[in-house]
Amino acid sequence: MEFCSIYSGSSGNCLYVGTEKTKLLVDAGLTGKKVQEGLKEIGIDPTEIKGILITHEHDDHIKAAGILSRRFNIPIYANTNTWNAIYKAIGEVKLHNIKVFEGYDGFEIGDIFIKPFKIPHDAVDPVGYSFYHKNKKISIATDIGHSSKEVKENIKDSDFILLESNHDVELLKIGPYPYHLKRRILSDRGHLSNEDAAKTILEILNQRIKKVMLGHLSQTNNYPELALRTVISILEMNGVRDGEDIIIDIAHRDRVGRVQSI
């Protein structure tokens, strides 16, 4: 499998997961033009995309979903509650491209098996996703207020994980956000901090996990070097060596990342 963060951050999210036969997007929270440019940068034709999987209804995850579906005849996958929350915002979608799933049972798109799982976030029915192909597993868990039992159970045996590392707690506390927004971000249904991302990695770490990419960084309350330094420092304090026991990387908010072969 391949993974690429097209964009990941508070200003918009779009992730690519694919095999030779099946190419998918997780979320499309930027303009259609930006998503198309990102795909072109990694050599993917938008007409090859077999589905857009929606994690939840916030605008930074759905902005271009309807546009891309109409432009390239792409199915959109979302659970019932999320679909009911997005259908007006994304505009008309052809009936055959409306793919609604129930609960957390897995399903297949092409040669990829997909397992949704519950995540703790302030949305109607938010999910993360795990992707399986030929004994390899990629998991995506962002927009999580805390590392719940469900999250850890679903991502713990992955080969590659995109994990939220949204904010530095002290930067958030002294930053410009209004008090109610700070409370929301810090809540159990808000966003995961750098420190909590590191603790999550320590809790789930095993020999199978080769790489964790830190994603959904805040534009205001974090920056890549801080997230990376914080997580690596906490891991090293607990005897986990970056580059040897595990590789820690960053998914950037404002540019397309490298394609990762899993």
Side-chain angles (χ1 to χ4, degrees), residues 133-175:
H133 175 74
K134 291 185 177 179
N135 298 317
K136 296 292 185 179
K137 179 181 176 183
I138 294 171
S139 291
I140 294 168
T142 66
D143 296 77
I144 52 177
H146 68 283
S147 294
S148 64
K149 179 181 177 182
E150 291 94 340
V151 169
K152 287 183 283 193
E153 281 295 316
N154 278 279
I155 70 174
K156 67 179 182 181
D157 57 348
S158 303
D159 298 279
F160 177 95
I161 301 168
L162 178 73
L163 180 67
E164 179 165 53
S165 191
N166 176 257
H167 60 276
D168 176 86
V169 173
E170 295 307 314
L171 276 184
L172 175 63
K173 286 179 177 178
I174 65 173

Side-chain angles (χ1 to χ4, degrees), residues 11-144:
S11 50
N13 298 272
C14 183
L15 310 169
Y16 167 76
V17 177
T19 65
E20 272 191 29
K21 293 181 179 179
T22 308
K23 303 180 191 312
L24 306 171
L25 294 180
V26 179
D27 293 328
L30 301 103
T31 65
K33 181 181 178 183
K34 289 282 281 185
V35 174
Q36 286 176 239
E37 288 173 349
L39 288 172
K40 182 179 180 180
E41 193 169 324
I42 62 170
I44 302 296
D45 188 326
T47 61
E48 297 179 277
I49 300 297
K50 302 301 183 187
I52 302 170
L53 293 104
I54 303 297
T55 58
H56 64 291
E57 72 273 16
H58 293 163
D59 189 60
D60 61 326
H61 294 261
I62 67 165
K63 188 173 184 178
I67 295 166
L68 294 169
S69 178
R70 289 186 290 275
R71 191 172 290 167
F72 301 109
N73 194 34
I74 302 172
I76 298 175
Y77 291 77
N79 62 36
T80 301
N81 290 331
T82 298
W83 188 267
N84 290 337
I86 70 172
Y87 78 96
K88 289 183 180 178
I90 66 174
E92 186 177 352
V93 174
K94 290 180 180 179
L95 189 61
H96 68 269
N97 283 329
I98 298 173
K99 304 292 185 181
V100 180
F101 60 86
E102 297 284 350
Y104 307 107
D105 292 334
F107 55 92
E108 291 181 347
I109 303 176
D111 58 355
I112 300 178
F113 181 79
I114 299 143
K115 176 73 168 60
F117 55 90
K118 182 179 181 180
I119 60 173
H121 192 53
D122 56 352
V124 292
D125 197 2
V127 295
Y129 292 103
S130 291
F131 300 85
Y132 300 80
H133 175 74
K134 291 185 177 179
N135 298 317
K136 296 292 185 179
K137 179 181 176 183
I138 294 171
S139 291
I140 294 168
T142 66
D143 296 77
I144 52 177

